[in-house]
């Protein structure tokens, strides 16, 4: 299904390699950040989050890094698998009532 | 299984018709949101509700209305559909405003 944009930045990686997806956020007051994964035809799915009092958080095969100095967030996926192919969105909360979403990056995993 | 349910999954609608997209969550989340997702435009917020009985306008509210009579349900109504409302609509909920969202699986709406 065509549930996301056709003109997204695309990262193409070989199966088994590590992937790094980057996100620049806009508001220095943001204190909570989330990465979402959206597979074709599905809704966004929560992957991992991090609060501004941390600079690194690890999950299963995923790590989020936060650099508040340059307002940069990254998602690292270890040993990328074909099932990781999707669009990845970062989201930030600047102490408001809702999240602000980035435009997304398409990850394509080559077998 | 706890989660958020949207209905219908897809719909083709004649222009000028009224349509309500349904959204129900069983997680007792206080906050709920409606987004539309279009090619090249990402997720855009239509309306939101921080708690039952309250609603607010998002980035693209024109042509849409919502209600939040109880915690679980957050229907989105198109009073008179137009082709520019062709999109994929996602409902989301959060335990509290600003927390991480749980998204539904979406409704693909085509207005012809």
């Amino acid at each position: 299904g065509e549930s996301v944009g056709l003109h997204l930045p695309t990262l193409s990686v070989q199966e088994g390699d590590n992937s790094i997806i980057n996100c620049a956020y806009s508001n220095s007051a943001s204190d909570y950040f989330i990465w979402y994964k959206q597979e074709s035809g599905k809704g966004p799915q929560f992957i991992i989050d991090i609060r501004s009092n941390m600079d690194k958080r690890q999950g299963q095969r995923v790590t989020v890094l936060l650099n508040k100095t340059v307002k940069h967030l990254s998602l690292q996926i270890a040993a990328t698998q074909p099932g990781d192919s999707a669009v990845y969105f970062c989201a930030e909360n600047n102490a408001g009532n809702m999240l602000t979403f980035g435009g997304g990056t398409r990850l394509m995993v080559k077998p | 299984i706890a989660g958020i349910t949207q209905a219908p999954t897809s719909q083709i609608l004649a222009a000028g018709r009224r349509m309500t997209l349904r959204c129900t969550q069983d997680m007792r989340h206080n906050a709920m949101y409606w987004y539309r997702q279009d090619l090249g435009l990402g997720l855009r917020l239509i309306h939101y509700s921080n708690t039952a009985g309250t609603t607010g306008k998002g980035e693209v509210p024109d042509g849409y209305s919502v209600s939040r009579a109880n915690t679980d349900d957050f229907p989105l109504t198109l009073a008179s559909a137009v082709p520019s409302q062709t999109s994929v609509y996602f409902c989301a909920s959060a335990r509290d405003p600003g927390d991480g969202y749980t998204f539904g699986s979406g409704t693909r709406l085509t207005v012809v």
Side-chain angles (χ1 to χ4, degrees):
Chain A
E2 296 177 305
S3 61
V4 295
L6 292 176
H7 303 292
L8 294 170
T10 298
L11 174 66
S12 184
V13 300
Q14 201 71 38
E15 181 179 358
D17 288 350
N18 297 334
S19 302
I20 300 176
I21 300 171
N22 296 304
C23 179
Y25 63 93
S26 57
N27 194 326
S28 58
S30 294
D31 59 0
Y32 180 52
F33 305 87
I34 306 171
W35 279 101
Y36 285 90
K37 172 187 180 183
Q38 186 175 25
E39 297 175 270
S40 182
K42 297 183 179 180
Q45 178 184 11
F46 174 95
I47 302 174
I48 192 168
D49 60 359
I50 189 169
R51 300 220 173 253
S52 59
N53 61 350
M54 303 173 68
D55 53 20
K56 180 179 180 179
R57 189 164 188 225
Q58 289 185 290
Q60 185 177 12
R61 280 202 309 120
V62 295
T63 300
V64 55
L65 299 177
L66 175 62
N67 186 329
K68 295 182 287 294
T69 301
V70 295
K71 294 188 287 185
H72 184 267
L73 192 68
S74 68
L75 176 70
Q76 300 179 359
I77 304 174
T80 311
Q81 303 169 0
D84 295 325
S85 294
V87 175
Y88 291 82
F89 296 94
C90 64
E92 63 182 294
N93 180 359
N94 58 3
N97 291 329
M98 61 204 69
L99 302 177
T100 301
F101 288 88
T105 297
R106 185 184 305 277
L107 176 65
M108 298 179 63
V109 181
K110 297 177 289 185
Chain B
I1 297 175
I4 186 164
T5 302
Q6 291 186 236
T9 302
S10 65
Q11 182 76 45
I12 299 174
L13 185 68
R17 297 296 295 269
R18 180 183 179 91
M19 173 78 186
T20 295
L21 308 185
R22 300 185 297 279
C23 177
T24 299
Q25 52 100 1
D26 61 1
M27 298 173 285
R28 307 304 293 172
H29 283 179
N30 287 312
M32 297 187 75
Y33 309 87
W34 274 106
Y35 285 85
R36 59 179 290 173
Q37 188 174 45
D38 303 289
L39 296 177
L41 295 176
L43 289 160
R44 293 187 292 168
L45 181 66
I46 304 170
H47 284 287
Y48 66 94
S49 168
N50 287 334
T51 189
T54 69
T55 63
K57 294 182 179 180
E59 179 185 356
V60 288
D62 294 343
Y64 305 94
S65 63
V66 291
S67 62
R68 187 86 186 278
N70 57 60
T71 298
D72 298 345
D73 302 300
F74 191 43
L76 176 73
T77 297
L78 289 67
S80 179
V82 295
S84 63
Q85 292 177 310
T86 293
S87 187
V88 180
Y89 292 85
F90 288 103
C91 181
S93 70
R95 185 180 60 184
D96 290 305
D99 284 346
Y101 296 174
T102 299
F103 282 89
S105 55
T107 294
R108 182 179 297 277
L109 180 66
T110 303
V111 182
V112 297

